[in-house]
Amino acid sequence: MRPRRPAVWVDRPVHMARLSSEHAVAIVVGPWRSGKTTLLAAWSETAADVVWMDDETIPDVDRGVIVVDDADRLSARTWTELGRRMDACPGLRLRLSSTTADVVPPSWDAEVVGDLHFTIDETASYLERAGSPLEPRLVAAATRGHAGSVRELARPGIRDAGRIPAVLAQASAGRRLPPSERWYAVPDHLTEELVRRWGGPDTFLDDAVRAGLGAWSTDASSRVFSLVPTVRAATRAHSVVPPSRERALRLEAAGVFLAQDAPFAAFVEAVRGDDLDLAVAAFKAGGMPLLVEHGVLVGDLLRPLSLNRLRRQPVLALALALVLNARRQNRLRAIELFGVAVLGARLGAGRPVDRALMQVVESAALRVVGAADGGLAAARRATRALRSAEPEDLESLGRVTPHLHLHAGISLLYGECHDEAREQFELALAAGPQIAAELSAIGGLALVDALEGETDAADQWLALAASRVWPKERLDEYPGSMLRLAQALVAVDASDFDGAAEALDTIWPIVDTIEHWALMAHVRALVDIGTGRGVEGLERFRSLRRSREGRFGAIPSVRRLLSVTESLLLLASGLPVEAREAIGDPQQHPGSLLAALRVALVLRDTDQALALLVHIVPRGPRDRVTLQASEAVLLRLLGRSGDAEDVAAKAAALVATHRLRSPLMLLPPGHLDLFGAAGEGIVEGLAHDSVAPPALTPRELVVLRELASTSSVEDIAASLHVSSNTVKSQRRSLYRKLGVHSREDALVEGLRHGLLTD
């Protein structure tokens, strides 16, 4: 009899696609009540020629699909008959479910569809559809996404999170371990070594799998076993272990897991056993992937710890801060914890590797919250400590090593120390095969080169990334964010704005939490300018900037980038005076000086442009193209056409060599012809109606702004402490420069040129 899909259901497109593959045999594998039958029922509704097999009777069909639920109940004779039928009927396919794939004859090439646990998003979706008021994070932590357990907690009437253990225990249908085996329900995970140490038989876990009581998963390089949550809850409820004994068992388990290269399992037991030193050791062994893969549970484990205890363990304070920072409602708490991490890190001491770890903690915390120098000094101290460490000490860091180099590199990148950042990203890439670290390191290297305009080098890193297969949940989240930014920036330089937008869109959903938000906003602004949406882009940019800076602030390099970005969008919107004000004092920073030069050219302020030009020291091909192209435009404005063409030819050569088209897009309109073939097809991104405002004296500007509030010459004179005749004289001069004859027209022109804003 064919079962039906339940009323409350979570779409599983990846699993459905695997069941629809060309494999003749596919088997859905999972423990008791993990959703195997539901998945097969949902899939069979979408497939043609499906027949469900009852008992041991094989349907009399020679094509289509035979579905066998609970295939572990089949006899050897039935398996033999199924094999004969499949051999005789090439058009026949088989879809099965079982607690283990071992039931399929070894000679069969079967597609295994496993990992049926809900993600936290799928858990949240299920709870919402079921009308459950329970917090998805708590349900995900209690059930680890086991579908049957989630369904039990989503039942009507269950509103109190405190009832979760009791509800799970009651839903076990009598399935629990006997009292003699109650120890195995204490830790969240098990391994064969731990079972042997506690006196269990070698076959205990495999027998539990076949009975549907649990399933294997992988933690780093070690296999770990987890009981079905309802089975574990029922065992703990019926065979209580004294608290002191439970703590001892957990810490013993943590030590075994750490020795077996199962850092997440070790971390869980160390925190639950209240040994934070052991938890830090587990975190070092697992590195940042613990947060990427298990952030929800890590956060739940660390939340109850006091600030005082976290100050003594800054690594754990940083871990919790990073987890909380991913959700808007937790950001104030996250900022507080970043501060705790910095304070604790500064109190740390010990070996060079320990100092390096603490300094990277400090650097990452300062960078994420936009404080002080963004962690630049701490990152440099960390790199020096790593260089001075002994090889055996470096080995003791385990999987955290690439992440130390990686986060030091990111701080150096934002400190605009690109060569030092490259070195750290290369060291992170060479430190060992970890998906998240490798992806971030390659992305960091591509981004540094893309920012400088070293397009060929950036393309090589992007090609390396494209040659690898990355999990989508890594590629479109924080680990892949720098790679996506590099892809977008290279696309902008090629005038491929659709490609740039596509790369940005993959990570834009996390712009509200990610530290790369300012770079994302800058590249998005370039896309908006290149596609003629400068006004829309300006509004989006200002909204994001208000939101992010209001919560976190920004380090100096980010503030400069934001000012440059806003200036570009203002120029694209036809507001050159506001664009000049957005830059402020460019000081001696090349990026700010180039932005100020761009505004001066749009305003045709050749004196200011000349003054800026002599102070700019370009940092890479992008700066050199921008500088030479701007110089060519300036020479044309000064009437030196021959010199302008010579400089433009050099700029065009750089554009062709480095494939950098975006700097030409950002020149004042009407000058692309200077650059010959290099300028063909480039969009003029800045507004064509940008007109230089009249050069008002400071007193005329004050009078204009006074006119916005009153038409009375006497009132203005009293406010400015001058005579009425003086105000009348200044008003006449003001009207002449604006080309108007009335107060109303003067105010309109003032608004158009941005003269009424401070």
Side-chain angles (χ1 to χ4, degrees), residues 231-243:
V231 173
R232 181 166 177 259
T235 303
R236 290 172 62 83
H238 286 80
S239 303
V240 177
V241 177

Side-chain angles (χ1 to χ4, degrees), residues 307 317 321 330-342 369:
L307 290 179
N330 296 329
R331 290 212 186 101
L332 290 178
R333 173 69 170 168
I335 291 172
E336 181 181 33
L337 285 164
F338 280 126
V340 170
V342 170
V369 299

